[in-house]
Amino acid sequence: MTAIKRILGTAIGFVMVLAFTGTITAIVFSLAVPDKTALREFWEEVRCIAGYPVAGSQCAQDTIRRADDAVAAANQRRAEAEEAQRAAEDALARGDLEFAQGPALKDGVSLVVGTIYLDATNRTGLVRSFCWAIIDEGGLDPRVGLAIRDASGRVRVLPLSDDDIALMELQPVEAAAAHASCPWPGGII
């Protein structure tokens, strides 16, 4: 017990000496520096690095700008997703969404791709394709979105939540690789 007290006392004493020495050094340095703006700028930089920028400083403005940029990017992605959803709903209402059945991932879970065409009759003018895993539950068949392919052929894999993976009753590795088997128009990419 005395050893613990001795170690604790030594540690507290060391911290006190360090704090005292740092305080005296800071006071002497602030008195010795003729230009206080350099000291003020140094302190602002330290606060910026620590994540507590001085109000109105360039660091605070940069932090606000980065946050605004992140919000704008998120809003842009949300607007694109809403537009894609509206396009899919409109195409489905017009009968312009063509479906292609894909392979079964397991018993009761299969892949389906719905493709929006400008001309669904001739299957020309591909706008966008959506790949889903369909869970056959005899009536209401839930869908889990796996990927979206745009007209240029670029595929964007959708993130799967733990609930999506549980709904498909697949292992996480199997669920993550399922998008590679989507029956895209023109073949699997």
Side-chain angles (χ1 to χ4, degrees):
M1 187 66 164
T2 58
I4 293 174
K5 286 182 182 178
R6 188 170 34 90
I7 291 172
L8 189 59
T10 302
I12 291 173
F14 178 74
V15 169
M16 289 174 60
V17 167
L18 194 62
F20 178 76
T21 304
T23 303
I24 295 299
T25 304
I27 291 171
V28 169
F29 183 70
S30 69
L31 293 173
V33 174
D35 184 15
K36 302 294 188 234
T37 58
L39 188 59
R40 196 172 311 117
E41 289 172 1
F42 173 75
W43 179 243
E44 286 179 6
E45 188 66 28
V46 168
R47 285 187 60 178
C48 181
I49 291 170
Y52 297 101
V54 175
S57 69
Q58 184 63 37
C59 178
Q61 293 171 3
D62 290 346
T63 302
I64 292 169
R65 186 176 27 79
R66 282 191 302 271
D68 288 345
D69 290 348
V71 168
N75 287 338
Q76 176 68 26
R77 286 191 303 272
R78 183 175 57 243
E80 289 171 359
E82 288 171 353
E83 179 60 33
Q85 180 179 355
R86 274 193 299 279
E89 290 170 354
D90 292 346
L92 187 57
R94 290 189 317 267
D96 292 345
L97 189 63
E98 295 289 324
F99 290 97
Q101 183 72 36
L105 296 176
K106 62 172 247 167
D107 218 13
V109 179
S110 60
L111 293 176
V112 173
V113 168
T115 302
I116 302 170
Y117 293 102
L118 291 175
D119 182 4
T121 307
N122 297 320
R123 290 188 179 200
T124 58
L126 185 135
V127 176
R128 184 166 284 136
S129 294
F130 303 89
C131 182
W132 298 284
I134 306 290
I135 295 90
D136 185 14
E137 292 188 349
L140 179 64
D141 296 335
R143 296 179 182 185
V144 175
L146 298 176
I148 299 172
R149 180 177 167 198
D150 64 15
S152 69
R154 186 181 60 196
V155 175
R156 181 171 52 98
V157 176
L158 302 175
L160 295 174
S161 69
D162 292 337
D163 292 336
D164 293 336
I165 294 170
L167 181 66
M168 292 187 292
E169 297 178 354
L170 295 173
Q171 296 298 320
V173 173
E174 295 171 321
H179 72 277
S181 301
C182 292
W184 301 114
I188 296 174
I189 292 180

